[in-house]
Every structure is written in C-alpha cells, then in structure tokens.
Amino acid sequence: MKRLRFVSILFCFLISSVFLAAQQRGFEEEMRFANYLIGKSLYPEAIDVLSGMDTTGMSPEQKDVFFYTMGWAAYQFKQLELAEVSLMKVSAQSEEYRKSRAFAAYTLAHRGHYTRAEAIYRTVPAQDSVEAELIRMQHAGLALLQKQYQRYDSLRKGFNYSSYLFQQEEAKLDKFYSEMLAHKNKSPFLAGLYSAVIPGAGKWYAGKKKQAIAAFLPVASLGAVAYEAYRKGGVKSARFIVFGSIFSLFYIGNIWGSALSVNVERNEFNREYENKILFNMHIPLRNLYNQ
Amino acid sequence: MKIKSFLTCIFLCAIFTTSRAQESDWLKEGDRLMQQGDYFHASVCYERVLFEGGNNAALLFNAVTGKLNCLKAEKKFAEADRFLKGILIPDFSNEQKFFLAEQRMLCAYLAGQFENCISQADLMKILFPSEYKSNLAAILRVLSYNELQQWKEAEQAWKEWAAAVDSMGLQNPYQNLPKFKSEEKAERLATFIPGAGQFYAGRPVEALIGILFQAAGVYYGVTSFLNHYYLSAWAGAGIFGSFHMGGVRRSKALVRGYNKKKMAAFNAMVRAQMTGK
C-alpha cells in the first residue's frame, strides 16, 4: 500500500513536470517560430502568431520577451500604434527596456503625439553620455517638430557632434532649424490682394512661379479680349457679355487660387521638414540600439 | 517493479509521440483553412511545418506547395517567386525540384517579371537537362519574349517548341507579326494635319471632333480679324492652338493604346496555339 502511494505520488510529479516543461517548450517554440517569421520578413504572420498567445500564464521574463518581439514586429510592419502599446509593456527589468521605450516614443512622435513622446523619452534611463546625448537629440527633434525654436536652441547647446552614431544627424537638425527660422509664413490675404492687382502675382508671392505665369496668361488674354469687345460693341454686345463673364470667372478664380496656394505651400513646407526631422531622429536610434 | 516500468514507458511515450503528430496536424489544418479560403492562416500553418523542419520530405513538399497555392490564390505572384527562391531543402526528389522550378517560372511570368521568367527557363535547361520536357517552360519563354517585343528570340523559342511537339499543320505566327503603329508618325501627322493623328490611330470620331474644335477656333479667329476684333482673333488662334496641341498628345496616347491591344491579341493567339485552349 505504501509502495503504491509512493509510486502514485512519483507518477503525479512526473506528469506535472512534463506538463510544465511542455508549457515552457510551448512558449519557447512559439517565440522561436515568431522570430523565424520575422527573420523571413513575414511580419503580419508573426503578429498573428503572437496575437494568438495567451499572456496570462507567462512569467514576467516571458512577458518582456513577448511584448518586445510583438512590438518590434509591429514596428517593422509600420503598425505604429500596436508597436507603441507592446513596447511600452516591456518592463524595466528587461535588457531591451531602453530600446523599447526609445522606439515607443519615436512611434508616438511619428504619429504626431509629441507631448507623450517627450514624456516617454524622459523615462529612458541613459546608460552613458552617448545615450544621454541621443535622448537630448530626440528632445531637440521634438522641439523642432513643434516649432519651439527657443527650446531647440537651448537643447542643441548640449550637442557634442562627436559621436559617429549621430553627429551627421545633429548637424542636419541644426540646418533644418536655420532653414525653418528663415522661412517666412506668407499671408493668404496679401496673396489675394496681389493677384487682384496683377493676376498671378499672388502665386509668385507664394513661391509658385510657374503657376503664376500659368494664371497670368489666360486672365490677361481674356481681359484684353473683353476690353476690346466692350470698346467696339459696348456693354450689351454678346461678345462682351461672353468674354466678360469668362474673364470674371478666371479673375476671381485667380484670386482664390492665390490665397489657397499660400496654405498649400505652407503645408508642403511643414510636411517636408517634418519628414526630414523624423528621418534624422530615427537613424541614430537604429545606429545605437541595433548595434 | 512492473508498475514502475509501465509508468516509465507511459511517461516517455507521452513526451515523444506528441511532437511527430504536430507537423502533420498543422499540414491538415493548413489544407482545411485553404479549402475554406482563409489563405493567410493557411500560410501560417504551412510555415509552421517548414519551421519544424525534420526529415520528412513529403511533408515538407506538401507544405511548400500548400503555401505556394495560397500565394497564387491571393495573386501574390512576386511574393510566391521570392518564397520559392528561398526554399533550400535538398531532400526533394528531382521531380519535385523540377515542379517547383516550373512554378517559380510561372509566378515570375504572372508577376510581370518577364526577364526573370526567361532566365528561370534557361536555368531549368541546365539544371534538369534530361527532365526538361516542360511544355510550360517553352510556352512561358515564348510569351515572355513576346511581352518584351524581342521577336527574333520569340520566333526562335517558338520554333524550338514546335520542333519538340507534333507540329504538323502549325502555322508560324511570327511570319505575320502584328503591325504596330508608330507614335512618332502619329505625332508628325497630327502636327501638320489636324485630326490626321487620330485617324491614323484608328479613332475617326475623335479625329472629327478635334477637327471641329480646331476649325471653330480658326473660323472665330478669322471672322474676328475681319471684323477688326484683333484680340479676339488672337483668342480664336489660342483655341485652335490648344486643341491642336492636345490632339498631338492624344494621338500618341491613342497609338500607344492601339499597340498594347495588338500585342495582347497576338499574345492571346500564340498562347491559344501553344496550349490548345
């Protein structure tokens, strides 16, 4: 009887060990499979596999590995919201904590959530002076994105331009800062006014020179034809009414288009510099954390 | 003693029998999902089988063809070509490797990578000299050369195919190549004769409409000039000029479209001749 009880207990212990080992093996195999898919650039498939895993039974270390892998796969696949959520769940005990935080903050910056990005960058514990300068550079980039020029100016005083990892990008941010400062915002009202006086002049003022010529020629031609029709046939002549109407349409359109073109030019400028700043914020992150 | 041995055996069997069953389970699951049209999840199941690896070449081959069929069903031909390029499983038989090489060539053609398709076909001749009786490879070579408009090479490839099959009664389609029209000629015609470019491109109605607008511009300009409306005459000349320049550009675009249709019709004819469908 005692022997039977001992054997039963031993059997239960063995079965439990098998079960726990199977669970551990299950997690490791799934993670290996997910990494295999990531290695083949099959990011949607990797995300799908990871999404099917149950995190409730995972140990804290396993959760860190899981969320980091999920976040990185989502980041590679440009699913930035999922990347941010997953990377933010990586705990401070993980080796990938700093990298996860930095990239989570970057995804927020990419999506226009600058304040939240800044808050997260502040939580990244810099390991050395190089990393500290990188974080400062990211803050400077965010300041530039928000057009906080004074703040950028004070942050860039901490640039050493000595680390090969991001000295070029620091210099580029400075260049963008100068160019953005020098850029003068044009007034839509003035653009409209100029075009009312000389058709196309408002577009020239907005920096669209070819469009200015393209706006001037038809308005001027129609105006001349309408004037000739008025001079020779009078106000009630059919020729004057037709060409006068077409001229009026083009003239008003020219004024309206000039006012709009200022906004278009401003949006184009902002978008161009936003992309450039984000690009130059991204490269140092990859240089430092993917070594 | 007996009980101990019995329990030990159960323990060991439990560990080792689970892993072997998993790969074929994933394969079955993949087949089931593919039949339901869920190609994405089916692909994941097939990738699991490939990931587990092992020595079962038949299992791996089924996984490769399963995933390939999923990608083809989703019309992701370029991705299918990349997938097959990355398959490095030497345990496949020559027949299986030949089949995969054929599929790779087909996917390259369907993805519009005609030069890639031709180089795959040439590579097959070297890798499988004795098995190279692939009708599919010969057909795809000819069609790819057609798409690239390399007529000499296409004709040579067609003749090689015709020599390999029973070619009695088969007419050489390259003796009557489609007559393509010249974009430069259309442009020149439209420049000097209003509407002539569109007529040349085979669009008489468009040509007449273009002539009408240009004539209206000229008429308006001339009558304005005669009535001493000189600036209006200039506007009339402008109308004529705008429609004239538009007609020149339109003629080129029409000829391009015409040539594309001719090309597609010729290719369809050659394909029908070579496949018998």
Side-chain angles (χ1 to χ4, degrees), chain A residues 3-4 6-8 10-11 14-15 17-18 25 29-30 32-34 36-37 40 42 44-46 48-49 221 224-225 227-230 232-233 237 239 243, chain B residues 1 3-4 7 10-11 14-15 18 22 26 40-41 43-45 47-52 67 79 83 87 220 223-224 227-235:
Chain A
R3 205 170 163 189
L4 188 63
F6 170 75
V7 168
S8 305
L10 181 66
F11 180 71
L14 286 172
I15 291 298
S17 307
V18 166
R25 205 167 56 241
E29 277 183 10
E30 284 298 280
R32 272 182 49 231
F33 180 52
Y36 158 83
L37 291 170
K40 287 180 85 175
L42 296 172
E45 286 84 347
D48 183 67
V49 165
S221 306
V225 169
Y227 174 71
E228 186 189 54
Y230 163 72
K232 293 206 163 124
S237 71
R239 203 181 278 260
F243 280 106
Chain B
M1 191 65 199
I3 295 171
K4 268 193 215 171
L7 290 172
I10 292 173
F11 171 67
I15 295 173
T18 48
Q22 276 178 1
W26 283 122
F40 175 76
H41 290 107
S43 277
V44 175
C45 292
E47 281 287 354
R48 279 192 188 273
V49 177
L50 295 173
F51 167 67
E52 298 290 340
K67 167 127 189 185
E79 206 181 313
F83 166 66
I87 297 295
Y220 180 73
T223 50
S224 296
N227 289 323
H228 309 292
Y229 284 92
Y230 302 117
L231 293 176
S232 293
W234 188 245

Side-chain angles (χ1 to χ4, degrees), chain A residues 73-131:
Chain A
Y75 180 79
Q76 297 291 333
F77 193 52
K78 296 180 180 33
Q79 274 190 7
L80 298 183
E81 203 176 323
L82 176 61
E84 178 234 324
V85 165
S86 302
L87 291 171
M88 285 300 291
K89 289 180 179 171
V90 176
S91 73
Q93 281 69 47
S94 167
E95 276 180 5
E96 307 292 355
Y97 174 69
R98 291 178 352 268
K99 179 180 175 182
S100 300
R101 289 271 147 162
F103 276 94
Y106 179 77
T107 60
L108 281 164
H110 210 277
R111 286 155 54 213
H113 304 304
Y114 303 131
T115 316
R116 283 176 59 198
E118 286 203 40
I120 292 169
Y121 273 128
R122 278 192 214 106
T123 66
V124 178
Q127 214 179 21
D128 51 32
S129 60
V130 171
E131 197 170 7

Side-chain angles (χ1 to χ4, degrees), chain B:
Chain B
M1 191 65 199
K2 275 187 189 171
I3 295 171
K4 268 193 215 171
S5 313
F6 180 66
L7 290 172
T8 310
C9 284
I10 292 173
F11 171 67
L12 289 170
C13 286
I15 295 173
F16 292 109
T17 49
T18 48
S19 60
R20 272 293 146 253
Q22 276 178 1
E23 286 167 26
S24 62
D25 287 341
W26 283 122
L27 193 66
K28 282 179 196 157
E29 180 65 7
D31 291 342
R32 186 186 70 80
L33 287 167
M34 190 164 73
Q35 274 178 3
Q36 286 177 356
D38 187 358
Y39 301 116
F40 175 76
H41 290 107
S43 277
V44 175
C45 292
Y46 292 129
E47 281 287 354
R48 279 192 188 273
V49 177
L50 295 173
F51 167 67
E52 298 290 340
N55 297 322
N56 192 335
L59 208 67
L60 293 173
F61 183 75
N62 288 338
V64 169
T65 51
K67 167 127 189 185
L68 174 65
N69 290 335
C70 286
L71 290 170
K72 281 162 68 179
E74 290 178 300
K75 297 195 188 333
K76 291 179 181 172
F77 301 115
E79 206 181 313
D81 175 56
R82 280 196 301 275
F83 166 66
L84 289 172
K85 191 176 171 185
I87 297 295
L88 295 167
I89 304 170
D91 291 341
F92 286 164
S93 67
N94 252 4
E95 210 176 66
Q96 289 172 328
K97 288 180 188 173
F98 179 72
F99 171 77
L100 292 178
E102 259 194 343
Q103 289 297 306
R104 196 175 156 203
M105 204 179 45
L106 176 64
C107 290
Y109 177 80
L110 291 170
Q113 297 168 4
F114 304 119
E115 279 138 343
N116 185 13
C117 177
I118 291 167
S119 70
Q120 290 301 319
D122 292 340
L123 193 62
M124 280 180 73
K125 271 189 196 172
I126 299 166
L127 293 175
F128 309 101
S130 56
E131 287 102 333
Y132 185 59
K133 286 174 192 136
S134 167
N135 203 30
L136 180 63
I139 292 169
L140 290 178
R141 264 185 100 226
V142 171
L143 295 179
S144 296
Y145 277 126
N146 280 355
E147 294 284 354
L148 295 169
Q149 296 194 24
Q150 292 177 10
W151 304 117
K152 269 192 195 156
E153 291 85 351
E155 188 176 6
Q156 179 60 33
W158 184 90
K159 282 179 178 171
E160 283 172 16
W161 167 81
V165 302
D166 181 7
S167 61
M168 293 293 289
L170 271 180
Q171 199 187 6
N172 182 348
Y174 295 94
Q175 284 173 351
N176 291 312
L177 277 175
K179 288 183 178 42
F180 296 111
K181 297 197 174 174
S182 160
E183 286 181 41
E184 288 74 28
K185 189 172 176 182
E187 193 180 18
R188 269 199 310 274
L189 281 171
T191 302
F192 295 108
I193 307 169
Q198 283 108 318
F199 268 119
Y200 171 71
R203 301 287 275 267
V205 174
E206 269 200 49
L208 288 171
I209 293 172
I211 291 170
L212 205 68
F213 277 103
Q214 289 174 63
V218 169
Y219 173 77
Y220 180 73
V222 166
T223 50
S224 296
F225 186 84
L226 291 174
N227 289 323
H228 309 292
Y229 284 92
Y230 302 117
L231 293 176
S232 293
W234 188 245
I239 293 171
F240 165 77
S242 299
F243 280 97
H244 180 71
M245 294 312 298
V248 170
R249 281 196 300 274
R250 179 72 180 151
S251 303
K252 280 182 82 170
L254 286 174
V255 163
R256 214 173 298 132
Y258 173 89
N259 289 341
K260 212 171 159 182
K261 274 189 191 161
K262 274 275 182 180
M263 179 75 248
F266 180 75
N267 243 6
M269 186 263 289
V270 170
R271 189 167 49 239
Q273 186 194 56
M274 293 177 86
T275 58
K277 288 176 191 169

Side-chain angles (χ1 to χ4, degrees), chain A residues 7-219:
Chain A
V7 168
S8 305
I9 293 168
L10 181 66
F11 180 71
C12 290
F13 172 73
L14 286 172
I15 291 298
S16 307
S17 307
V18 166
F19 179 72
L20 282 168
Q23 249 197 342
Q24 174 71 8
R25 205 167 56 241
F27 171 81
E28 281 173 9
E29 277 183 10
E30 284 298 280
M31 290 310 301
R32 272 182 49 231
F33 180 52
N35 282 314
Y36 158 83
L37 291 170
I38 291 170
K40 287 180 85 175
S41 303
L42 296 172
Y43 302 115
E45 286 84 347
I47 292 168
D48 183 67
V49 165
L50 291 165
S51 301
M53 289 171 74
D54 182 12
T55 58
T56 49
M58 289 183 192
S59 67
E61 292 79 20
Q62 287 177 334
K63 279 185 183 173
D64 281 342
V65 170
F66 172 81
F67 285 122
Y68 171 75
T69 308
M70 174 73 106
W72 195 244
Y75 180 79
Q76 297 291 333
F77 193 52
K78 296 180 180 33
Q79 274 190 7
L80 298 183
E81 203 176 323
L82 176 61
E84 178 234 324
V85 165
S86 302
L87 291 171
M88 285 300 291
K89 289 180 179 171
V90 176
S91 73
Q93 281 69 47
S94 167
E95 276 180 5
E96 307 292 355
Y97 174 69
R98 291 178 352 268
K99 179 180 175 182
S100 300
R101 289 271 147 162
F103 276 94
Y106 179 77
T107 60
L108 281 164
H110 210 277
R111 286 155 54 213
H113 304 304
Y114 303 131
T115 316
R116 283 176 59 198
E118 286 203 40
I120 292 169
Y121 273 128
R122 278 192 214 106
T123 66
V124 178
Q127 214 179 21
D128 51 32
S129 60
V130 171
E131 197 170 7
E133 191 175 338
L134 170 70
I135 301 302
R136 193 179 307 116
M137 187 206 160
Q138 298 295 309
H139 280 294
L142 286 169
L144 212 52
L145 283 167
Q146 296 172 90
K147 297 185 179 46
Q148 294 169 355
Y149 298 124
Q150 276 186 329
R151 192 161 156 254
Y152 175 82
D153 199 32
S154 72
L155 282 166
R156 75 172 177 152
K157 288 185 170 81
F159 289 176
N160 289 326
Y161 307 97
S162 57
S163 172
Y164 71 95
L165 292 169
F166 43 80
Q167 64 187 163
Q168 277 191 5
E169 286 73 28
E170 281 176 332
K172 281 184 185 162
L173 283 185
D174 284 343
K175 184 167 165 276
F176 299 152
Y177 165 68
S178 311
E179 287 167 0
M180 287 168 80
L181 266 183
H183 182 258
K184 301 240 178 316
N185 271 338
K186 307 272 167 76
S187 159
F189 174 76
L190 277 179
L193 191 63
Y194 292 154
S195 281
V197 174
I198 303 173
K203 289 208 169 150
W204 192 282
Y205 163 72
K208 306 275 186 192
K209 293 179 171 55
K210 284 181 185 169
Q211 284 187 24
I213 296 169
F216 174 79
L217 286 175
V219 175

